[in-house]
Amino acid sequence: ARVRDPTDPLPTRELAAVFARLRPREVFTHALSDRHPTHLATVLRVVEALRSLPPGARPRRLLGCEVWGGLDWMEGAGRVALPLRGPAGLVGALLRSFPSQLAQRPYDRGVAGRAAANAAFGPGRLPASGGLVLAMDLGPLLEPGGPSPEALLRRHLEAFRSQALGRLRAARGGG
Protein backbone atom coordinates (compact mmCIF):
# COMPACT_ATOMS: atom_id res chain seq x y z
CA ALA A 1 0.00 0.00 0.00
CA ARG A 2 2.86 2.41 0.76
CA VAL A 3 4.41 1.84 -2.67
CA ARG A 4 1.07 2.64 -4.31
CA ASP A 5 0.68 5.89 -2.35
CA PRO A 6 2.40 8.57 -4.49
CA THR A 7 2.37 11.00 -1.55
CA ASP A 8 4.48 8.70 0.65
CA PRO A 9 8.19 9.44 0.02
CA LEU A 10 9.54 6.58 2.16
CA PRO A 11 9.55 3.75 -0.44
CA THR A 12 11.41 5.94 -2.95
CA ARG A 13 13.94 7.07 -0.32
CA GLU A 14 14.53 3.49 0.78
CA LEU A 15 15.04 2.31 -2.79
CA ALA A 16 17.43 5.20 -3.48
CA ALA A 17 19.46 4.26 -0.40
CA VAL A 18 19.68 0.63 -1.53
CA PHE A 19 20.70 1.60 -5.06
CA ALA A 20 23.27 4.12 -3.75
CA ARG A 21 24.79 1.49 -1.47
CA LEU A 22 24.81 -1.41 -3.94
CA ARG A 23 25.52 0.57 -7.14
CA PRO A 24 24.10 -2.11 -9.46
CA ARG A 25 25.16 -2.06 -13.11
CA GLU A 26 21.77 -3.43 -14.17
CA VAL A 27 18.34 -3.10 -12.60
CA PHE A 28 15.36 -5.22 -13.57
CA THR A 29 11.89 -4.00 -12.65
CA HIS A 30 8.40 -4.05 -14.15
CA ALA A 31 7.49 -2.71 -17.59
CA LEU A 32 5.61 0.58 -17.97
CA SER A 33 2.76 -1.31 -19.66
CA ASP A 34 2.20 -3.76 -16.78
CA ARG A 35 -1.49 -4.09 -15.87
CA HIS A 36 -0.98 -4.63 -12.13
CA PRO A 37 -1.31 -1.39 -10.07
CA THR A 38 1.37 -2.39 -7.57
CA HIS A 39 3.77 -3.28 -10.38
CA LEU A 40 3.22 0.11 -12.02
CA ALA A 41 3.74 1.90 -8.72
CA THR A 42 6.93 -0.10 -8.21
CA VAL A 43 8.45 0.77 -11.57
CA LEU A 44 7.65 4.45 -11.01
CA ARG A 45 9.30 4.33 -7.57
CA VAL A 46 12.37 2.59 -9.01
CA VAL A 47 12.70 5.23 -11.74
CA GLU A 48 12.22 8.06 -9.25
CA ALA A 49 14.80 6.57 -6.88
CA LEU A 50 17.37 6.08 -9.65
CA ARG A 51 16.78 9.57 -11.04
CA SER A 52 17.53 10.98 -7.58
CA LEU A 53 21.07 9.58 -7.77
CA PRO A 54 23.89 11.49 -9.47
CA PRO A 55 24.21 10.40 -13.13
CA GLY A 56 27.50 8.59 -12.42
CA ALA A 57 25.87 6.50 -9.69
CA ARG A 58 22.99 5.27 -11.85
CA PRO A 59 22.99 1.78 -13.40
CA ARG A 60 24.12 1.48 -17.00
CA ARG A 61 21.01 -0.52 -17.82
CA LEU A 62 17.40 -0.38 -16.59
CA LEU A 63 14.98 -2.97 -17.94
CA GLY A 64 11.24 -3.32 -17.35
CA CYS A 65 10.33 -6.99 -17.64
CA GLU A 66 7.00 -8.50 -18.58
CA VAL A 67 4.90 -9.78 -15.71
CA TRP A 68 1.17 -8.95 -15.94
CA GLY A 69 1.19 -8.58 -19.69
CA GLY A 70 3.60 -9.65 -22.39
CA LEU A 71 5.87 -7.42 -24.44
CA ASP A 72 5.72 -9.37 -27.69
CA TRP A 73 3.89 -6.38 -29.23
CA MET A 74 7.04 -4.28 -28.97
CA GLU A 75 9.50 -4.12 -31.83
CA GLY A 76 12.82 -2.47 -32.42
CA ALA A 77 15.52 -1.28 -30.07
CA GLY A 78 13.11 -0.61 -27.20
CA ARG A 79 12.48 -4.34 -26.76
CA VAL A 80 15.23 -6.45 -25.25
CA ALA A 81 15.17 -10.27 -25.49
CA LEU A 82 16.78 -12.01 -22.53
CA PRO A 83 17.55 -15.72 -23.07
CA LEU A 84 16.77 -17.90 -20.08
CA ARG A 85 20.03 -19.44 -18.93
CA GLY A 86 20.98 -21.81 -16.19
CA PRO A 87 19.78 -25.25 -15.20
CA ALA A 88 16.45 -26.37 -16.64
CA GLY A 89 13.66 -25.52 -14.26
CA LEU A 90 15.61 -22.85 -12.36
CA VAL A 91 13.04 -20.13 -13.08
CA GLY A 92 10.19 -22.36 -12.00
CA ALA A 93 12.04 -23.35 -8.83
CA LEU A 94 12.66 -19.69 -8.03
CA LEU A 95 9.00 -18.81 -8.53
CA ARG A 96 7.88 -21.79 -6.45
CA SER A 97 9.98 -20.45 -3.56
CA PHE A 98 7.21 -17.86 -3.08
CA PRO A 99 4.24 -20.09 -2.19
CA SER A 100 1.98 -17.14 -1.38
CA GLN A 101 2.32 -16.02 -5.00
CA LEU A 102 1.37 -19.45 -6.32
CA ALA A 103 -1.53 -20.11 -3.94
CA GLN A 104 -4.18 -19.08 -6.47
CA ARG A 105 -2.42 -18.99 -9.85
CA PRO A 106 0.22 -21.16 -11.53
CA TYR A 107 2.67 -18.32 -12.21
CA ASP A 108 5.56 -20.75 -12.63
CA ARG A 109 3.81 -22.44 -15.57
CA GLY A 110 2.72 -19.09 -17.01
CA VAL A 111 6.24 -17.67 -16.99
CA ALA A 112 7.63 -20.83 -18.60
CA GLY A 113 4.89 -20.81 -21.25
CA ARG A 114 5.39 -17.14 -22.08
CA ALA A 115 9.16 -17.59 -22.36
CA ALA A 116 8.69 -20.57 -24.67
CA ALA A 117 6.18 -18.64 -26.81
CA ASN A 118 8.49 -15.60 -27.01
CA ALA A 119 11.27 -17.84 -28.29
CA ALA A 120 9.08 -19.78 -30.72
CA PHE A 121 7.29 -16.80 -32.24
CA GLY A 122 10.01 -14.19 -31.93
CA PRO A 123 12.37 -13.10 -34.64
CA GLY A 124 15.54 -15.07 -35.35
CA ARG A 125 16.60 -18.52 -34.35
CA LEU A 126 15.32 -20.32 -31.29
CA PRO A 127 17.87 -19.80 -28.50
CA ALA A 128 19.60 -22.83 -27.04
CA SER A 129 17.88 -22.08 -23.74
CA GLY A 130 14.50 -22.55 -25.37
CA GLY A 131 13.02 -19.48 -23.71
CA LEU A 132 13.13 -15.71 -23.89
CA VAL A 133 11.95 -13.14 -21.41
CA LEU A 134 11.17 -9.79 -23.03
CA ALA A 135 11.98 -6.48 -21.43
CA MET A 136 11.34 -2.82 -22.17
CA ASP A 137 14.49 -0.71 -22.29
CA LEU A 138 13.90 1.95 -19.63
CA GLY A 139 17.41 3.38 -19.94
CA PRO A 140 16.24 6.61 -21.59
CA LEU A 141 14.45 7.47 -18.32
CA LEU A 142 17.82 7.72 -16.56
CA GLU A 143 19.49 9.98 -19.10
CA PRO A 144 19.83 13.66 -18.17
CA GLY A 145 16.81 15.39 -19.72
CA GLY A 146 15.30 11.99 -20.52
CA PRO A 147 11.61 11.48 -21.16
CA SER A 148 8.97 10.97 -18.51
CA PRO A 149 7.69 7.41 -18.06
CA GLU A 150 4.47 8.47 -19.81
CA ALA A 151 6.38 9.89 -22.78
CA LEU A 152 8.53 6.77 -23.12
CA LEU A 153 5.50 4.47 -23.04
CA ARG A 154 3.73 6.73 -25.54
CA ARG A 155 6.78 6.43 -27.85
CA HIS A 156 6.58 2.61 -27.70
CA LEU A 157 2.81 2.57 -28.23
CA GLU A 158 3.04 4.94 -31.19
CA ALA A 159 5.76 2.79 -32.78
CA PHE A 160 3.52 -0.28 -32.38
CA ARG A 161 0.52 1.59 -33.80
CA SER A 162 2.48 2.81 -36.80
CA GLN A 163 4.00 -0.60 -37.55
CA ALA A 164 0.71 -2.47 -37.14
CA LEU A 165 -1.20 -0.04 -39.37
CA GLY A 166 1.62 -0.12 -41.92
CA ARG A 167 1.47 -3.92 -42.10
CA LEU A 168 -2.32 -3.78 -42.50
CA ARG A 169 -2.07 -1.18 -45.29
CA ALA A 170 0.57 -3.30 -47.06
CA ALA A 171 -1.61 -6.42 -46.78
CA ARG A 172 -4.48 -4.50 -48.40
CA GLY A 173 -2.17 -3.43 -51.21
CA GLY A 174 -1.90 0.14 -50.03
CA GLY A 175 1.87 0.03 -49.50
Side-chain angles (χ1 to χ4, degrees), residues 2-160:
R2 292 192 79 164
V3 169
R4 289 190 311 267
D5 179 358
T7 65
D8 185 349
L10 185 62
T12 301
R13 277 200 313 259
E14 289 178 343
L15 283 169
V18 169
F19 292 135
R21 187 173 58 251
L22 296 178
R23 297 196 63 149
R25 290 186 310 239
E26 296 180 315
V27 172
F28 298 85
T29 185
H30 300 282
L32 296 174
S33 57
D34 200 297
R35 292 188 315 263
H36 195 291
T38 302
H39 296 180
L40 286 175
T42 299
V43 65
L44 293 174
R45 294 301 190 125
V46 166
V47 168
E48 186 178 359
L50 291 172
R51 282 180 162 178
S52 75
L53 301 176
R58 296 174 186 173
R60 64 176 170 80
R61 191 159 128 163
L62 176 61
L63 297 175
C65 299
E66 53 191 0
V67 181
W68 279 69
L71 293 173
D72 59 329
W73 58 272
M74 289 185 68
E75 297 183 37
R79 183 177 84 176
V80 178
L82 305 167
L84 291 179
R85 294 195 176 107
L90 181 61
V91 172
L94 176 64
L95 290 168
R96 286 188 297 277
S97 71
F98 297 95
S100 66
Q101 293 291 305
L102 299 176
Q104 306 232 350
R105 295 177 187 242
Y107 292 116
D108 53 337
R109 291 193 335 233
V111 167
R114 181 180 284 152
N118 287 341
F121 297 115
R125 295 171 32 114
L126 187 68
S129 66
L132 292 173
V133 172
L134 301 180
M136 182 181 287
D137 182 3
L138 303 178
L141 299 175
L142 301 184
E143 296 170 3
S148 68
E150 293 84 355
L152 183 62
L153 179 58
R154 190 176 301 112
R155 185 184 309 166
H156 291 310
L157 293 171
E158 286 300 320
F160 171 74

